[in-house]
Amino acid sequence: MASEKRSFSIDDSMTESTRLLIEKQDEGKGRIYKHRRRKATRARKLVVMVAGLVQQFVSVGLGFGLSIMYVELIAVFNAKRSDAALIQGLYLGLSVGTGIVLTGVIKKVGPGPTIIVGAIVAAIGLFTSSFAQNLPTVIALTGVVSGLGMSTCYLSAFISVSWMFHEDPGFPLVCLTIGSSLGQFAIPFLYEYFISEYTWSGAFMLVSGIALQCVPFGVIIYTSREYFVTSDHGSHERKEIPTCEGYMTLLKDFVLWILLFDFLLIALSGNVEAWFIVDIMTSRGYSRESGSILVSALGFANFIGRVSGSTLRFKCTNIPTVYHWLWICPVIALGHTLVINLRGYWAIFAAIILQGAAFGMNNSQTPAIMFEASGLSKYPQAMSLVNLVYGIGNLFSNVIGGFIRDSFGVYDIAYYIAAGASLYITFNSAIVSCIIHRRKRHQVQYSSLE
């Protein structure tokens, strides 16, 4: 009968246009189609991985490069440090933290189109900042407009990689974070060169072009959409957990709350070197260029740390990733303490390398930790929660650090708070490790009884 529902399987060899044509022709006939997602080749997976790395490189690199602009804008507009810090704080806070309200849009529209639109919006914000006549205008255009635009690029990278490497995305997600450290290493050099050659306003024009580099890679992700698998189900059909339901399920887990609080502390305290080392060096009589070199050295050390973190995740597949934080976080605390107490340039350089490598290793493992805690279906929601607390931490970290400098004349208190926060995260990691160990033991006992 015409009204009878029948199930068809469309062969994988059909083109997307053929599949859409058939569905269009049979629209309204009551037929149900269950076509299989095409299996991605290694080359396809590689290009999606590269596209995700570019999103991280640009979105995070532009934010860290603003630490160079921070010093310049203080002098140009004769501004307070707590006010100038809002530019970088809002940019990183919004670019990382607003993903929680965009998760549903990205899942519905797809990561490719959202990257394209977001990159264009970010470029417009940066470009128009070059015409600003006062600091509040720069705060609004760079901090708010560009930050909101880049938020889609940042979160979409994690979502697209988790959907492409759905079988076991832990290692690729750790590798993805390498892009942000490469951006932190390379883009501050560009900021320094652009400011030296074209002043701060010309630098804003030029870095807006960097934001546009996300667009062609967003197109690559869009053309790979038929290879994405978005659920934990054995079937490749798109059976997704509703966004709100996913959040509610996640937030019932006590371990997740501990992890989210740790991530908040990391964002509040972990980047004090990246935010303020240029200002610290200039206040000690060094040039802005010397401080810029330290920012890039921090990015290089961060890259080494993320590569090491990726290697740890690859080699230690049977060990929960959070176990590694038991020794990484004390090293971070040591690095913070050394940076603020040492006075020689090369001694500070060495301390920067130590802290940057440990912090990079710590950050690289965040996506894998959240995937282990949430699973594939709820991973977009889990990662958006992490990004939310990271965004809040990045915003207030800058403002609090600038306030401390304005009030006390030095950044020392901010660095000691950062060291204490790292030690507290070590304590929390030990608690989470014990809970995970107990859960695994109970799972083994339950399996043996079945």
Side-chain angles (χ1 to χ4, degrees):
M1 295 177 64
S3 60
E4 181 182 355
K5 293 187 177 182
R6 290 176 290 175
S7 178
F8 291 83
S9 177
I10 300 177
D11 188 78
D12 291 339
S13 62
M14 288 187 179
T15 64
E16 187 69 15
S17 59
T18 302
R19 182 181 296 120
L20 291 173
L21 178 61
I22 293 174
E23 292 177 351
K24 180 68 176 177
Q25 290 173 343
D26 289 278
E27 186 176 347
K29 294 183 179 180
R31 294 180 178 178
I32 300 175
Y33 291 93
K34 298 181 180 180
H35 64 271
R36 299 184 301 274
R37 290 287 179 183
R38 295 180 61 185
K39 185 176 182 180
T41 62
R42 290 184 179 178
R44 175 64 66 170
K45 290 182 176 181
L46 177 62
V47 296
V48 170
M49 188 71 196
V50 171
L53 287 168
V54 170
Q55 308 308 313
Q56 296 288 296
F57 177 89
V58 174
S59 60
V60 177
L62 287 175
F64 279 98
L66 288 171
S67 61
I68 314 298
M69 191 69 76
Y70 167 74
V71 177
E72 187 70 10
L73 293 177
I74 290 173
V76 170
F77 295 111
N78 192 27
K80 293 182 179 179
R81 285 169 172 81
S82 55
D83 293 335
L86 278 172
I87 301 171
Q88 190 176 28
L90 281 170
Y91 174 91
L92 285 164
L94 293 174
S95 64
V96 174
T98 53
I100 192 169
V101 299
L102 296 172
T103 305
V105 176
I106 295 173
K107 292 178 72 176
K108 183 177 181 179
V109 179
T114 53
I115 286 173
I116 295 169
V117 174
I120 294 173
V121 170
I124 292 172
L126 290 167
F127 185 83
T128 53
S129 294
S130 63
F131 303 101
Q133 300 297 314
N134 50 60
L135 188 64
T137 304
V138 180
I139 292 172
L141 293 173
T142 295
V144 178
V145 176
S146 296
L148 287 172
M150 274 295 155
S151 65
T152 60
C153 301
Y154 183 83
L155 181 58
S156 293
F158 290 105
I159 292 177
S160 57
V161 169
S162 68
W163 286 352
M164 177 60 73
F165 297 87
H166 55 90
E167 301 95 342
D168 185 15
F171 178 64
L173 287 170
V174 171
C175 292
L176 180 63
T177 64
I178 293 174
S180 60
S181 59
L182 289 175
Q184 184 182 348
F185 167 67
I187 293 183
F189 272 124
L190 297 177
Y191 269 92
E192 177 60 41
Y193 176 76
F194 293 157
I195 292 173
S196 299
E197 295 294 325
Y198 307 104
T199 73
W200 68 273
S201 59
F204 270 124
M205 290 185 181
L206 292 170
V207 296
S208 67
I210 299 176
L212 289 175
Q213 303 310 305
C214 291
V215 172
F217 292 94
V219 174
I220 290 174
I221 290 176
Y222 175 71
T223 58
S224 303
R225 63 193 183 282
E226 59 186 312
Y227 301 97
F228 292 152
V229 175
T230 62
S231 73
D232 290 308
H233 300 282
S235 169
H236 290 282
E237 297 174 48
R238 192 180 178 91
K239 299 179 181 177
E240 298 177 0
I241 296 176
T243 301
C244 292
E245 182 182 336
Y247 284 125
M248 294 305 297
T249 304
L250 286 169
L251 294 175
K252 291 177 181 178
D253 189 351
F254 177 68
V255 170
L256 187 82
W257 282 100
I258 298 177
L259 291 174
L260 289 176
F261 186 67
D262 285 347
F263 297 143
L264 177 62
L265 291 178
I266 289 170
L268 279 170
S269 63
N271 282 314
V272 287
E273 285 80 13
W275 297 167
F276 305 118
I277 193 63
V278 179
D279 195 31
I280 289 173
M281 299 307 290
T282 54
S283 65
R284 292 179 179 178
Y286 294 94
S287 66
R288 190 191 66 215
E289 291 78 6
S290 299
S292 301
I293 291 172
L294 290 180
V295 173
S296 293
L298 185 67
F300 177 75
N302 205 275
F303 167 73
I304 297 300
R306 291 177 190 262
V307 171
S308 301
S310 302
T311 304
L312 273 177
R313 179 62 180 80
F314 181 73
K315 294 291 186 180
C316 306
T317 54
N318 295 324
I319 300 176
T321 310
V322 72
Y323 283 17
H324 299 301
W325 283 17
L326 295 174
W327 63 270
I328 294 174
C329 291
V331 176
I332 295 174
L334 175 62
H336 289 316
T337 306
L338 291 175
V339 168
I340 200 60
N341 283 286
L342 297 174
R343 289 295 183 269
Y345 184 82
W346 293 110
I348 296 174
F349 187 93
I352 284 284
I353 295 296
L354 174 67
Q355 194 277 336
F359 191 61
M361 191 177 298
N362 178 281
N363 271 342
S364 71
Q365 295 169 346
T366 297
I369 288 173
M370 289 311 296
F371 187 83
E372 292 169 1
S374 65
L376 178 63
S377 295
K378 297 187 291 293
Y379 180 70
Q381 292 95 323
M383 211 49 219
S384 66
L385 287 172
V386 175
N387 291 341
L388 174 64
V389 297
Y390 270 167
I392 295 171
N394 286 334
L395 171 59
F396 287 101
S397 173
N398 277 32
V399 175
I400 292 171
F403 175 78
I404 289 173
R405 175 63 173 81
D406 288 335
S407 301
F408 300 98
V410 291
Y411 289 103
D412 295 40
I413 294 176
Y415 277 77
Y416 290 130
I417 291 174
S422 296
L423 294 177
Y424 183 76
I425 294 169
T426 306
F427 173 75
N428 276 354
S429 299
I431 295 175
V432 172
S433 299
C434 291
I435 295 173
I436 291 175
H437 178 73
R438 288 188 61 184
R439 287 181 177 179
K440 290 181 67 176
R441 186 175 62 185
H442 290 163
Q443 288 175 355
V444 171
Q445 292 175 349
Y446 179 77
S447 299
S448 63
L449 294 174
E450 289 185 335

